Amino acid sequence: MRISSLMLLVLSVSLGSCTLEEGNHEQMVNLAEVKDDPAAQLQNLNIALENSRRDGSLYARRAVVLLQNGELEQALQDAEEAVRLTRKEPSTLFVKAQVLRAMGKPEEALPLALAAERNSYQSSSLYVLLGELYLQRKEYKQAMEYIRKAQELSPADEYAFYYKGRVQEATGDTTNAVRNFKLSLEQAPEFMQPQRELAAILVDKGEHEAAKPYLLKALRKAPEDAKLWYNRGLAYQAEQKQDSAMRAFGKAVSINDTLSGAHYRLGLHRLAQGNNDEALEHLEKVYGVYKSDTDYLVKLATAYERVGFFTKALATYQRLVQLDPKATYAYRSISRLKYKIARPIPDSAAVRLQEQIER
């Protein structure tokens, strides 16, 4: 699996400060000649390392190429060897931090990135990384401070604009977030992530026509991005293209089964179609997210009752009246369900009810 383009900001790291082994200069590969060909670069680095096993800079450079290829475990091994051989030279700490970030280990990446900064390593990419890591921790003030540092060193850095927009979006400043996402795209028109964020903001604002170009372009670049398919579904719904919307939501949950908004909308659609079992499958998956939403509880209870899960329907309505004591329709449903549960039922139905109670 290849890593996303956003991960490749690591390629801007400067490893020039890593000291080469004396006497091995003639064995060094001219990496500039192959920098746009990762396979050739990897091959040449492998050859160079056979002749210079104690050159930490070579391990760091190979870690970057492996990271670009999405070979994260091997990249981590090389990054660790680079750190060991260079005695924790800050640029190699940065490379290892990037690899750990790509592996989904931000808590391990952050101390290394901070150590690189403390050891006087100045790089817009390092500051962008620190900004992103603090964004993940929801420490927005600290994140913005590092993004500003990145922009001081590199005013036209598309990643700095992008993450500045992400911080602003997270703190509710969508106007400035949109501006920074657009600035990011001015520097790098093919950068997918700002397109995705712009599409999401514009869809949320109901500006579906404005969102469409960003959605379509981003989907061409990232056809397996669940968030994009979810927003495409919302745009289709706004156009009253319900079948297309459901296909988009279905695609979204096939990629990311935890996408609650898509499951909810699929559940509502299936319930309206009378496909109660499938509706329930989707609605149950999002209970943790929507359990305090009274409209959701009504739909969930309806699905339970339609498939004969009366005790679950009753419990769902009882939760609803706890949240909204004025929901008179729910009291009527509670009375109806209590009657259904208490009345004598045929043996076959009793078996089904017993199975429901045991679930």
Side-chain angles (χ1 to χ4, degrees), residues 10-19 55-61 63-64 67 78-80 82-99 112-123 125-126 129:
V10 71
L11 296 180
S12 63
V13 63
S14 169
L15 296 171
S17 58
C18 295
T19 304
D55 189 337
S57 70
L58 289 175
Y59 282 103
R61 289 168 186 261
V64 169
L67 173 59
D78 274 8
E80 288 175 339
V83 169
R84 185 183 71 82
L85 290 171
T86 63
R87 299 180 182 180
K88 299 185 179 180
E89 202 279 335
S91 65
T92 59
L93 291 174
F94 174 45
V95 171
K96 185 177 177 181
Q98 283 277 22
V99 175
L112 291 169
L114 289 171
E117 183 196 23
R118 284 195 302 270
N119 283 281
S120 302
Y121 186 73
Q122 290 190 327
S123 159
S125 294
L126 171 62
L129 173 64

Side-chain angles (χ1 to χ4, degrees), residues 76-283:
L76 181 59
Q77 291 175 15
D78 274 8
E80 288 175 339
E81 188 67 4
V83 169
R84 185 183 71 82
L85 290 171
T86 63
R87 299 180 182 180
K88 299 185 179 180
E89 202 279 335
S91 65
T92 59
L93 291 174
F94 174 45
V95 171
K96 185 177 177 181
Q98 283 277 22
V99 175
L100 289 168
R101 171 257 194 189
M103 297 177 78
K105 299 179 179 180
E107 296 303 320
E108 294 180 38
L110 181 58
L112 291 169
L114 289 171
E117 183 196 23
R118 284 195 302 270
N119 283 281
S120 302
Y121 186 73
Q122 290 190 327
S123 159
S124 61
S125 294
L126 171 62
Y127 294 140
V128 167
L129 173 64
L130 283 163
E132 184 201 6
L133 293 171
Y134 278 110
L135 172 62
Q136 289 188 43
R137 293 162 65 95
K138 299 183 179 180
E139 296 181 31
Y140 302 123
K141 183 179 179 180
Q142 192 70 46
M144 189 63 86
E145 285 181 10
Y146 278 113
I147 297 304
R148 290 195 182 106
K149 284 186 176 184
Q151 291 190 308
E152 287 173 7
L153 289 179
S154 183
D157 188 325
E158 66 268 30
Y159 294 102
F161 283 123
Y162 168 69
Y163 280 110
K164 191 173 186 178
R166 285 282 307 278
V167 174
Q168 290 164 335
E169 184 180 10
T171 54
D173 186 1
T174 55
T175 299
N176 280 313
V178 166
R179 183 174 65 85
N180 278 290
F181 291 142
K182 289 181 177 179
L183 286 169
S184 177
L185 289 173
E186 285 181 14
Q187 309 306 317
E190 300 305 311
F191 193 178
M192 187 279 290
Q193 280 80 1
Q195 295 166 356
R196 181 184 64 187
E197 299 306 315
L198 278 168
I201 291 172
L202 293 169
V203 166
D204 189 57
K205 288 183 173 183
E207 299 176 25
H208 299 102
E209 283 303 312
K212 191 180 294 185
Y214 296 114
L215 269 174
L216 296 178
K217 192 169 182 180
L219 273 170
R220 285 195 292 272
K221 289 189 164 298
E224 294 301 309
D225 189 300
K227 184 177 179 181
L228 284 169
W229 281 109
Y230 173 62
N231 282 303
R232 188 71 182 109
L234 293 177
Y236 275 132
Q237 279 195 319
E239 297 170 355
Q240 298 185 339
K241 297 178 179 178
Q242 193 73 345
D243 290 343
S244 295
M246 292 308 122
R247 284 194 292 271
F249 292 141
K251 177 70 173 179
V253 298
S254 73
I255 298 167
N256 180 359
D257 194 47
T258 66
L259 207 57
S260 56
H263 275 300
Y264 189 10
R265 285 163 176 78
L266 285 165
L268 295 182
H269 183 66
R270 299 293 185 261
L271 193 65
Q273 289 181 317
N275 190 342
N276 302 310
D277 289 317
E278 193 171 341
L280 193 54
E281 181 181 342
H282 289 293
L283 292 173

